[in-house]
mmCIF file of all heavy atoms in Angstrom:
data_model
loop_
_atom_site.group_PDB
_atom_site.id
_atom_site.type_symbol
_atom_site.label_atom_id
_atom_site.label_comp_id
_atom_site.label_asym_id
_atom_site.label_seq_id
_atom_site.Cartn_x
_atom_site.Cartn_y
_atom_site.Cartn_z
ATOM 1 N N GLY C 1 0.733 -1.241 -0.067
ATOM 2 C CA GLY C 1 0.005 -0.021 0.048
ATOM 3 C C GLY C 1 0.781 1.255 -0.088
ATOM 4 O O GLY C 1 0.219 2.272 -0.097
ATOM 5 N N GLY C 2 2.064 1.213 0.132
ATOM 6 C CA GLY C 2 2.833 2.430 0.199
ATOM 7 C C GLY C 2 2.993 2.988 -1.264
ATOM 8 O O GLY C 2 2.690 2.411 -2.141
ATOM 9 N N GLY C 3 3.461 4.300 -1.315
ATOM 10 C CA GLY C 3 3.574 4.860 -2.584
ATOM 11 C C GLY C 3 3.991 6.296 -2.547
ATOM 12 O O GLY C 3 4.227 6.887 -1.310
ATOM 13 N N LEU C 4 3.734 7.073 -3.550
ATOM 14 C CA LEU C 4 4.035 8.507 -3.637
ATOM 15 C C LEU C 4 2.705 9.151 -3.673
ATOM 16 O O LEU C 4 1.904 8.773 -4.600
ATOM 17 C CB LEU C 4 4.888 8.809 -4.830
ATOM 18 C CG LEU C 4 5.184 10.353 -5.205
ATOM 19 C CD1 LEU C 4 5.875 10.942 -4.068
ATOM 20 C CD2 LEU C 4 5.958 10.410 -6.452
ATOM 21 N N VAL C 5 2.606 10.174 -2.875
ATOM 22 C CA VAL C 5 1.383 10.924 -2.880
ATOM 23 C C VAL C 5 1.558 12.450 -2.574
ATOM 24 O O VAL C 5 2.633 12.784 -1.897
ATOM 25 C CB VAL C 5 0.329 10.339 -1.848
ATOM 26 C CG1 VAL C 5 0.810 10.481 -0.474
ATOM 27 C CG2 VAL C 5 -1.087 11.063 -2.029
ATOM 28 N N GLN C 6 0.817 13.348 -3.099
ATOM 29 C CA GLN C 6 0.958 14.768 -2.756
ATOM 30 C C GLN C 6 0.199 15.186 -1.395
ATOM 31 O O GLN C 6 -0.496 14.394 -0.939
ATOM 32 C CB GLN C 6 0.270 15.628 -3.899
ATOM 33 C CG GLN C 6 1.029 15.590 -5.246
ATOM 34 C CD GLN C 6 0.421 16.508 -6.182
ATOM 35 O OE1 GLN C 6 -0.730 16.526 -6.368
ATOM 36 N NE2 GLN C 6 1.300 17.232 -6.914
ATOM 37 N N SER C 7 0.809 16.190 -0.860
ATOM 38 C CA SER C 7 0.151 16.691 0.305
ATOM 39 C C SER C 7 -1.246 16.760 0.235
ATOM 40 O O SER C 7 -1.802 17.266 -0.720
ATOM 41 C CB SER C 7 0.665 18.116 0.726
ATOM 42 O OG SER C 7 2.149 18.027 1.054
ATOM 43 N N GLY C 8 -1.995 16.272 1.327
ATOM 44 C CA GLY C 8 -3.483 16.386 1.416
ATOM 45 C C GLY C 8 -4.079 15.078 0.895
ATOM 46 O O GLY C 8 -5.298 14.794 0.955
ATOM 47 N N GLY C 9 -3.158 14.179 0.313
ATOM 48 C CA GLY C 9 -3.800 12.908 -0.330
ATOM 49 C C GLY C 9 -3.889 11.798 0.631
ATOM 50 O O GLY C 9 -3.680 11.998 1.811
ATOM 51 N N SER C 10 -4.279 10.616 0.239
ATOM 52 C CA SER C 10 -4.529 9.438 1.062
ATOM 53 C C SER C 10 -3.907 8.226 0.584
ATOM 54 O O SER C 10 -3.619 7.988 -0.596
ATOM 55 C CB SER C 10 -5.946 9.207 1.247
ATOM 56 O OG SER C 10 -6.690 10.369 1.729
ATOM 57 N N LEU C 11 -3.542 7.413 1.477
ATOM 58 C CA LEU C 11 -3.054 5.987 1.144
ATOM 59 C C LEU C 11 -3.684 4.963 2.146
ATOM 60 O O LEU C 11 -3.973 5.572 3.302
ATOM 61 C CB LEU C 11 -1.487 5.961 1.187
ATOM 62 C CG LEU C 11 -0.665 6.572 0.083
ATOM 63 C CD1 LEU C 11 0.698 6.612 0.483
ATOM 64 C CD2 LEU C 11 -0.980 5.806 -1.091
ATOM 65 N N ARG C 12 -3.739 3.730 1.897
ATOM 66 C CA ARG C 12 -4.094 2.763 2.781
ATOM 67 C C ARG C 12 -3.102 1.749 2.877
ATOM 68 O O ARG C 12 -2.904 0.999 1.811
ATOM 69 C CB ARG C 12 -5.410 2.178 2.478
ATOM 70 C CG ARG C 12 -6.095 1.350 3.627
ATOM 71 C CD ARG C 12 -7.390 0.676 3.299
ATOM 72 N NE ARG C 12 -7.334 -0.422 2.444
ATOM 73 C CZ ARG C 12 -8.090 -1.512 2.504
ATOM 74 N NH1 ARG C 12 -9.134 -1.500 3.325
ATOM 75 N NH2 ARG C 12 -8.034 -2.545 1.581
ATOM 76 N N LEU C 13 -2.547 1.484 3.992
ATOM 77 C CA LEU C 13 -1.523 0.422 4.040
ATOM 78 C C LEU C 13 -2.267 -0.932 4.641
ATOM 79 O O LEU C 13 -3.148 -0.768 5.412
ATOM 80 C CB LEU C 13 -0.441 0.855 5.133
ATOM 81 C CG LEU C 13 0.257 2.142 4.795
ATOM 82 C CD1 LEU C 13 1.439 2.252 5.881
ATOM 83 C CD2 LEU C 13 0.845 2.185 3.372
ATOM 84 N N SER C 14 -1.682 -2.018 4.056
ATOM 85 C CA SER C 14 -2.176 -3.245 4.652
ATOM 86 C C SER C 14 -0.974 -4.171 5.168
ATOM 87 O O SER C 14 -0.008 -4.097 4.507
ATOM 88 C CB SER C 14 -2.946 -4.018 3.451
ATOM 89 O OG SER C 14 -4.029 -3.314 2.916
ATOM 90 N N CYS C 15 -1.311 -4.896 6.166
ATOM 91 C CA CYS C 15 -0.326 -6.044 6.630
ATOM 92 C C CYS C 15 -1.157 -7.253 7.054
ATOM 93 O O CYS C 15 -1.952 -7.194 7.962
ATOM 94 C CB CYS C 15 0.328 -5.333 7.779
ATOM 95 S SG CYS C 15 1.563 -6.465 8.626
ATOM 96 N N ALA C 16 -0.800 -8.342 6.279
ATOM 97 C CA ALA C 16 -1.284 -9.594 6.596
ATOM 98 C C ALA C 16 -0.389 -10.494 7.271
ATOM 99 O O ALA C 16 0.758 -10.652 6.771
ATOM 100 C CB ALA C 16 -1.813 -10.220 5.350
ATOM 101 N N ALA C 17 -0.825 -11.069 8.393
ATOM 102 C CA ALA C 17 0.048 -12.133 9.085
ATOM 103 C C ALA C 17 -0.364 -13.541 8.759
ATOM 104 O O ALA C 17 -1.525 -13.830 8.494
ATOM 105 C CB ALA C 17 -0.069 -11.927 10.572
ATOM 106 N N SER C 18 0.572 -14.418 8.614
ATOM 107 C CA SER C 18 0.248 -15.815 8.254
ATOM 108 C C SER C 18 1.253 -16.717 9.013
ATOM 109 O O SER C 18 2.425 -16.245 9.238
ATOM 110 C CB SER C 18 0.266 -16.046 6.679
ATOM 111 O OG SER C 18 1.537 -15.802 6.179
ATOM 112 N N GLY C 19 1.033 -17.932 8.957
ATOM 113 C CA GLY C 19 1.890 -19.008 9.540
ATOM 114 C C GLY C 19 1.241 -19.730 10.721
ATOM 115 O O GLY C 19 0.026 -19.843 10.817
ATOM 116 N N ASN C 20 2.099 -20.229 11.534
ATOM 117 C CA ASN C 20 1.598 -21.027 12.686
ATOM 118 C C ASN C 20 1.152 -20.027 13.793
ATOM 119 O O ASN C 20 1.613 -20.178 14.964
ATOM 120 C CB ASN C 20 2.650 -22.108 13.109
ATOM 121 C CG ASN C 20 3.871 -21.481 13.629
ATOM 122 O OD1 ASN C 20 4.337 -20.383 13.129
ATOM 123 N ND2 ASN C 20 4.587 -22.134 14.506
ATOM 124 N N ILE C 21 0.113 -19.411 13.648
ATOM 125 C CA ILE C 21 -0.521 -18.395 14.542
ATOM 126 C C ILE C 21 -1.537 -19.058 15.312
ATOM 127 O O ILE C 21 -2.607 -19.388 14.797
ATOM 128 C CB ILE C 21 -1.071 -17.107 13.856
ATOM 129 C CG1 ILE C 21 0.048 -16.457 13.150
ATOM 130 C CG2 ILE C 21 -1.649 -16.229 14.829
ATOM 131 C CD1 ILE C 21 -0.392 -15.360 12.154
ATOM 132 N N PHE C 22 -1.384 -19.138 16.600
ATOM 133 C CA PHE C 22 -2.513 -19.580 17.477
ATOM 134 C C PHE C 22 -3.407 -18.463 17.949
ATOM 135 O O PHE C 22 -4.634 -18.537 17.797
ATOM 136 C CB PHE C 22 -2.020 -20.182 18.717
ATOM 137 C CG PHE C 22 -2.901 -20.636 19.699
ATOM 138 C CD1 PHE C 22 -3.855 -21.598 19.511
ATOM 139 C CD2 PHE C 22 -3.075 -19.852 20.991
ATOM 140 C CE1 PHE C 22 -4.860 -21.816 20.430
ATOM 141 C CE2 PHE C 22 -3.999 -20.252 21.903
ATOM 142 C CZ PHE C 22 -4.933 -21.213 21.690
ATOM 143 N N ARG C 23 -2.736 -17.296 18.187
ATOM 144 C CA ARG C 23 -3.487 -16.175 18.599
ATOM 145 C C ARG C 23 -2.691 -14.829 18.343
ATOM 146 O O ARG C 23 -1.487 -14.824 18.615
ATOM 147 C CB ARG C 23 -3.887 -16.193 20.065
ATOM 148 C CG ARG C 23 -4.698 -14.994 20.595
ATOM 149 C CD ARG C 23 -4.960 -15.066 22.062
ATOM 150 N NE ARG C 23 -3.792 -14.839 22.803
ATOM 151 C CZ ARG C 23 -3.076 -15.507 23.609
ATOM 152 N NH1 ARG C 23 -3.428 -16.757 23.874
ATOM 153 N NH2 ARG C 23 -2.001 -14.958 24.151
ATOM 154 N N ILE C 24 -3.311 -13.888 17.868
ATOM 155 C CA ILE C 24 -2.808 -12.490 17.682
ATOM 156 C C ILE C 24 -3.389 -11.547 18.797
ATOM 157 O O ILE C 24 -4.642 -11.497 18.873
ATOM 158 C CB ILE C 24 -3.007 -11.856 16.265
ATOM 159 C CG1 ILE C 24 -2.089 -12.643 15.278
ATOM 160 C CG2 ILE C 24 -2.762 -10.418 16.375
ATOM 161 C CD1 ILE C 24 -2.358 -12.040 13.823
ATOM 162 N N ASP C 25 -2.460 -10.871 19.459
ATOM 163 C CA ASP C 25 -3.002 -10.112 20.673
ATOM 164 C C ASP C 25 -3.112 -8.585 20.056
ATOM 165 O O ASP C 25 -4.134 -8.002 20.495
ATOM 166 C CB ASP C 25 -2.027 -10.251 21.811
ATOM 167 C CG ASP C 25 -2.061 -11.567 22.384
ATOM 168 O OD1 ASP C 25 -3.169 -12.162 22.512
ATOM 169 O OD2 ASP C 25 -0.944 -12.107 22.632
ATOM 170 N N ASP C 26 -2.180 -8.191 19.324
ATOM 171 C CA ASP C 26 -2.353 -6.725 18.812
ATOM 172 C C ASP C 26 -1.449 -6.694 17.639
ATOM 173 O O ASP C 26 -0.386 -7.317 17.486
ATOM 174 C CB ASP C 26 -1.822 -5.709 19.914
ATOM 175 C CG ASP C 26 -0.569 -5.863 20.497
ATOM 176 O OD1 ASP C 26 0.373 -5.415 19.638
ATOM 177 O OD2 ASP C 26 -0.338 -6.278 21.622
ATOM 178 N N MET C 27 -1.681 -5.578 16.874
ATOM 179 C CA MET C 27 -0.894 -5.318 15.694
ATOM 180 C C MET C 27 -0.796 -3.720 15.688
ATOM 181 O O MET C 27 -1.768 -3.066 16.070
ATOM 182 C CB MET C 27 -1.561 -5.871 14.463
ATOM 183 C CG MET C 27 -1.775 -7.343 14.327
ATOM 184 S SD MET C 27 -2.474 -7.986 12.795
ATOM 185 C CE MET C 27 -1.030 -7.795 11.743
ATOM 186 N N GLY C 28 0.317 -3.226 14.961
ATOM 187 C CA GLY C 28 0.531 -1.804 15.015
ATOM 188 C C GLY C 28 1.269 -1.337 13.832
ATOM 189 O O GLY C 28 1.801 -2.216 13.118
ATOM 190 N N TRP C 29 1.367 -0.138 13.659
ATOM 191 C CA TRP C 29 2.139 0.414 12.605
ATOM 192 C C TRP C 29 3.206 1.513 13.268
ATOM 193 O O TRP C 29 2.800 2.304 14.072
ATOM 194 C CB TRP C 29 1.285 1.307 11.620
ATOM 195 C CG TRP C 29 0.487 0.514 10.789
ATOM 196 C CD1 TRP C 29 -0.802 0.052 10.992
ATOM 197 C CD2 TRP C 29 0.851 -0.271 9.500
ATOM 198 N NE1 TRP C 29 -1.286 -0.855 9.916
ATOM 199 C CE2 TRP C 29 -0.206 -1.039 9.052
ATOM 200 C CE3 TRP C 29 2.072 -0.286 8.829
ATOM 201 C CZ2 TRP C 29 -0.221 -1.860 7.802
ATOM 202 C CZ3 TRP C 29 2.060 -0.992 7.607
ATOM 203 C CH2 TRP C 29 0.962 -1.738 7.160
ATOM 204 N N TYR C 30 4.366 1.421 12.656
ATOM 205 C CA TYR C 30 5.488 2.296 13.183
ATOM 206 C C TYR C 30 6.075 3.101 11.969
ATOM 207 O O TYR C 30 6.096 2.501 10.864
ATOM 208 C CB TYR C 30 6.529 1.500 13.823
ATOM 209 C CG TYR C 30 6.166 0.822 15.194
ATOM 210 C CD1 TYR C 30 5.208 -0.277 15.197
ATOM 211 C CD2 TYR C 30 6.450 1.350 16.415
ATOM 212 C CE1 TYR C 30 4.888 -0.829 16.328
ATOM 213 C CE2 TYR C 30 6.132 0.862 17.520
ATOM 214 C CZ TYR C 30 5.248 -0.239 17.590
ATOM 215 O OH TYR C 30 4.864 -0.795 18.788
ATOM 216 N N HIS C 31 6.495 4.257 12.288
ATOM 217 C CA HIS C 31 7.081 5.151 11.181
ATOM 218 C C HIS C 31 8.373 5.479 11.448
ATOM 219 O O HIS C 31 8.756 5.766 12.697
ATOM 220 C CB HIS C 31 6.228 6.450 11.241
ATOM 221 C CG HIS C 31 6.728 7.533 10.278
ATOM 222 N ND1 HIS C 31 7.023 8.814 10.774
ATOM 223 C CD2 HIS C 31 7.186 7.488 8.953
ATOM 224 C CE1 HIS C 31 7.624 9.592 9.787
ATOM 225 N NE2 HIS C 31 7.722 8.710 8.659
ATOM 226 N N GLN C 32 9.285 5.404 10.551
ATOM 227 C CA GLN C 32 10.669 5.750 10.754
ATOM 228 C C GLN C 32 11.059 6.703 9.507
ATOM 229 O O GLN C 32 11.227 6.305 8.476
ATOM 230 C CB GLN C 32 11.623 4.572 10.579
ATOM 231 C CG GLN C 32 13.037 4.942 10.985
ATOM 232 C CD GLN C 32 13.892 3.661 11.243
ATOM 233 O OE1 GLN C 32 13.540 2.561 10.869
ATOM 234 N NE2 GLN C 32 14.936 3.818 11.897
ATOM 235 N N ALA C 33 11.147 7.996 9.869
ATOM 236 C CA ALA C 33 11.609 9.067 9.047
ATOM 237 C C ALA C 33 13.108 8.967 8.807
ATOM 238 O O ALA C 33 13.843 8.408 9.661
ATOM 239 C CB ALA C 33 11.287 10.448 9.474
ATOM 240 N N PRO C 34 13.619 9.446 7.675
ATOM 241 C CA PRO C 34 15.090 9.351 7.485
ATOM 242 C C PRO C 34 15.835 9.970 8.514
ATOM 243 O O PRO C 34 15.606 11.013 8.928
ATOM 244 C CB PRO C 34 15.205 10.200 6.094
ATOM 245 C CG PRO C 34 13.957 10.028 5.436
ATOM 246 C CD PRO C 34 12.895 10.148 6.601
ATOM 247 N N GLY C 35 16.759 9.318 9.133
ATOM 248 C CA GLY C 35 17.636 9.686 10.173
ATOM 249 C C GLY C 35 16.947 9.693 11.585
ATOM 250 O O GLY C 35 17.630 10.204 12.441
ATOM 251 N N LYS C 36 15.907 9.312 11.645
ATOM 252 C CA LYS C 36 15.069 9.372 12.949
ATOM 253 C C LYS C 36 14.815 7.895 13.538
ATOM 254 O O LYS C 36 14.998 6.844 12.897
ATOM 255 C CB LYS C 36 13.781 9.946 12.730
ATOM 256 C CG LYS C 36 13.889 11.255 12.080
ATOM 257 C CD LYS C 36 14.379 12.386 13.038
ATOM 258 C CE LYS C 36 13.264 12.673 14.283
ATOM 259 N NZ LYS C 36 13.633 13.888 15.080
#
């Protein structure tokens, strides 16, 4: 879902988990700006 967009625009990110999952407790999104 990432990409290039102009200020004021919108994007939708998706993240799918798979594998030997018994239970998921929480999921989240983290941002890392350049040099931060």
Side-chain angles (χ1 to χ4, degrees):
L4 174 64
V5 66
Q6 291 186 318
S7 295
S10 299
L11 287 172
R12 191 181 80 149
L13 307 183
S14 299
C15 176
S18 62
N20 58 331
I21 301 170
F22 173 70
R23 185 185 74 241
I24 289 178
D25 295 316
D26 62 74
M27 301 183 76
W29 290 96
Y30 293 74
H31 171 232
Q32 187 165 20
K36 304 284 287 187

